[in-house]
Amino acid sequence: MADRPRRIPEATVARLPVYLRSLLQLAGEKTGTISSERLAEMAGVNAAKVRKDLSYLGSYGTRGVGYDVEYLLFQMSRELGLTQDWPVVIVGIGNMGQALANYPGFTSRGFPIAALVDADASKVGHEVHGKRVRHIDELPDIAAEQHIAIGIIATPAHAAQDVADRLLAAGVTSILNFAPAVINVPATASLRKVDLAVELQILSFYQQQRDNEGDGAAAPAPSADAAG
Amino acid sequence: MADRPRRIPEATVARLPVYLRSLLQLAGEKTGTISSERLAEMAGVNAAKVRKDLSYLGSYGTRGVGYDVEYLLFQMSRELGLTQDWPVVIVGIGNMGQALANYPGFTSRGFPIAALVDADASKVGHEVHGKRVRHIDELPDIAAEQHIAIGIIATPAHAAQDVADRLLAAGVTSILNFAPAVINVPATASLRKVDLAVELQILSFYQQQRDNEGDGAAAPAPSADAAG
């Protein structure tokens, strides 16, 4: 607390992982320093925003030189909590839950999948990608034993709020929701969502608009020259 | 074009799928009319915003009665382009691509997975969930034959921009990016992204903040009473 008096705006927090990714790439290329302009380009934002965002971390760069990549990477990782692991429980082991359980990107990024949980007794006890599915009633024990930091909800829509409530009751206050449902959590918890249907429908909205406006130029069936 | 002179703001477009979901639920419950207040509650926004958003569709509701659910559902589906299918190609058949290829939620929502594509010759010809993987060089033919409307990028980060360029060259102007990379597309195309790493890191940022501020109250290892 002594170390963090300032409040970082939400929009800035959401960009930190994007900067982090650029910095990891730069570090991999042995780049020593980076200008705000170049970092902005990599992250897909403007340079003034980069400078403002980094100032929240206490990083101001050096005029004509830029930012030290290694140090910025250290600051960013520390700020995002990536100097430790955050064990994850996946709740709901249907198609989506199984796909997520099999995705190695969680563990490799410091979010190991510690437990799989389902309400369906017929699924409990089965192994999914090397992990035994446990019953959702065990959630409080699992959360405590496995030091669960993040709950991933991959249930059908109708079960999502109940699962969120159970996660919160078990002390899990960070939730990533894949269920196609609006979930409410108290202000003392964090909720992020990934909604494939919403993303696809936003795309179909604009695609339809282009199809109508362009009179078929960008229609689902591409024209011969566009495809060539 | 004659039918759509107004520009719907991006933020409104992004909320339409959320309203759609609420309306589908209401229709399933045989609810005839809905107030903006109730719809707002279901969608997790405020009522004034709902009224403003729906006004872009030419829907104003009836004072004291609200909106006709069936008609609003029809308008919303039509506006989002959901009265037709939008065939999808998945590019990159690694862990993420395979998981997506196996997810039934695409087809059930009107986004059938029409083709799987990879640049790795050793994957080409193999069947993944009943579909034969084809080489990315065939993309122009596949796009034309299958009337591909949306390209899903599930490649490693370093390949993502090249794949986006190939999709665009093949006439596919709607892209959903799962690769952990910033992609640039022209203004004539649409790009949405799903980035699990970013979502997890935003959660770990706030979790760490709570852990620090709360002196362990919401720590990865939940306290006994919180878990009880």
Side-chain angles (χ1 to χ4, degrees):
Chain A
M1 203 141 72
D3 185 41
R4 192 177 293 104
R6 66 221 128 70
R7 272 280 159 195
I8 304 185
E10 259 183 63
T12 296
V13 173
R15 283 189 291 271
L16 296 184
V18 183
Y19 299 139
L20 176 80
R21 176 182 300 149
S22 304
L23 291 167
L24 284 169
Q25 187 186 325
L26 291 164
E29 296 162 357
K30 310 282 180 211
T31 305
T33 57
I34 177 85
S35 67
S36 55
E37 287 78 13
R38 176 85 182 96
L39 188 54
E41 197 187 318
M42 292 179 79
V45 299
N46 71 58
K49 196 163 271 179
V50 168
R51 286 191 292 270
K52 178 82 176 158
D53 285 344
L54 298 186
S55 75
Y56 286 108
L57 310 190
S59 268
Y60 297 92
T62 307
R63 184 174 288 273
V65 177
Y67 299 85
D68 184 275
V69 169
E70 282 291 333
Y71 186 64
L72 202 50
L73 193 52
F74 160 75
Q75 279 188 307
M76 202 75 74
S77 302
R78 189 187 55 182
E79 201 70 39
L80 286 168
L82 303 179
T83 50
Q84 68 170 94
D85 274 1
W86 301 94
V88 166
V89 61
I90 299 177
V91 184
I93 313 300
N95 283 300
M96 177 62 83
Q98 288 186 35
L100 293 172
N102 192 33
Y103 181 57
F106 289 119
T107 299
S108 69
R109 289 186 175 84
F111 300 88
I113 296 166
L116 308 179
V117 157
D118 204 289
D120 180 353
S122 74
K123 284 184 184 159
V124 172
H126 286 264
E127 284 223 345
V128 173
H129 305 302
K131 280 213 172 47
R132 201 171 59 84
V133 178
R134 297 175 66 179
H135 195 274
I136 192 164
D137 288 348
E138 295 182 63
L139 206 45
D141 291 341
I142 294 168
E145 287 162 16
Q146 307 285 331
H147 307 292
I148 300 294
I150 296 175
I152 294 183
I153 301 180
T155 65
H158 66 85
Q161 182 65 56
D162 178 57
V163 167
D165 294 342
R166 281 163 171 259
L167 283 166
L168 293 165
V172 180
T173 54
S174 295
I175 294 176
L176 182 56
N177 179 31
F178 280 84
V182 173
I183 287 180
N184 295 304
V185 300
T188 51
S190 299
L191 174 71
R192 302 288 301 181
K193 63 178 194 300
V194 172
D195 194 321
L196 299 186
V198 168
E199 298 305 329
L200 289 168
Q201 288 168 5
I202 292 171
L203 287 176
S204 64
F205 172 90
Y206 288 110
Q207 183 66 47
Q208 172 172 263
Q209 209 164 59
R210 281 196 297 277
D211 290 356
N212 290 344
E213 285 170 4
D215 198 26
S223 64
D225 59 327
Chain B
M1 205 142 71
D3 185 42
R4 190 177 294 102
R6 63 220 131 71
R7 272 279 158 198
I8 305 184
E10 259 183 62
T12 296
V13 173
R15 283 189 291 271
L16 296 184
V18 184
Y19 298 139
L20 176 79
R21 176 182 299 149
S22 304
L23 291 167
L24 283 169
Q25 188 186 325
L26 291 163
E29 295 162 359
K30 310 280 180 213
T31 305
T33 56
I34 177 85
S35 67
S36 56
E37 286 77 13
R38 176 83 183 98
L39 188 54
E41 197 187 318
M42 292 178 79
V45 299
N46 70 58
K49 196 163 272 181
V50 168
R51 287 190 291 270
K52 177 83 177 156
D53 285 345
L54 298 187
S55 75
Y56 286 109
L57 309 190
S59 269
Y60 297 92
T62 307
R63 183 174 291 273
V65 177
Y67 298 85
D68 184 273
V69 170
E70 282 291 335
Y71 185 65
L72 202 51
L73 192 53
F74 160 74
Q75 280 188 306
M76 203 74 76
S77 302
R78 189 186 55 180
E79 202 69 42
L80 286 168
L82 303 179
T83 50
Q84 67 170 95
D85 274 3
W86 301 94
V88 166
V89 60
I90 299 178
V91 185
I93 312 301
N95 283 301
M96 177 62 82
Q98 288 186 33
L100 293 171
N102 193 33
Y103 181 57
F106 289 119
T107 299
S108 70
R109 288 187 174 85
F111 300 89
I113 296 168
L116 308 178
V117 157
D118 204 290
D120 180 351
S122 74
K123 285 184 182 157
V124 172
H126 286 264
E127 284 223 345
V128 173
H129 305 302
K131 276 210 174 49
R132 200 172 59 84
V133 178
R134 296 175 67 180
H135 195 274
I136 191 166
D137 288 348
E138 294 182 64
L139 205 46
D141 291 340
I142 294 168
E145 286 161 18
Q146 307 285 330
H147 307 293
I148 300 295
I150 296 175
I152 294 184
I153 301 179
T155 65
H158 66 84
Q161 182 66 56
D162 178 56
V163 168
D165 294 342
R166 281 164 171 259
L167 284 166
L168 292 166
V172 179
T173 53
S174 294
I175 294 175
L176 182 55
N177 179 31
F178 281 83
V182 173
I183 286 180
N184 295 304
V185 300
T188 51
S190 300
L191 174 71
R192 301 289 300 180
K193 62 178 195 300
V194 172
D195 196 321
L196 299 185
V198 167
E199 298 304 327
L200 290 167
Q201 289 168 5
I202 292 171
L203 286 175
S204 65
F205 172 90
Y206 288 110
Q207 184 64 47
Q208 173 172 263
Q209 209 163 60
R210 281 196 298 276
D211 290 354
N212 289 345
E213 285 169 5
D215 199 27
S223 64
D225 60 328

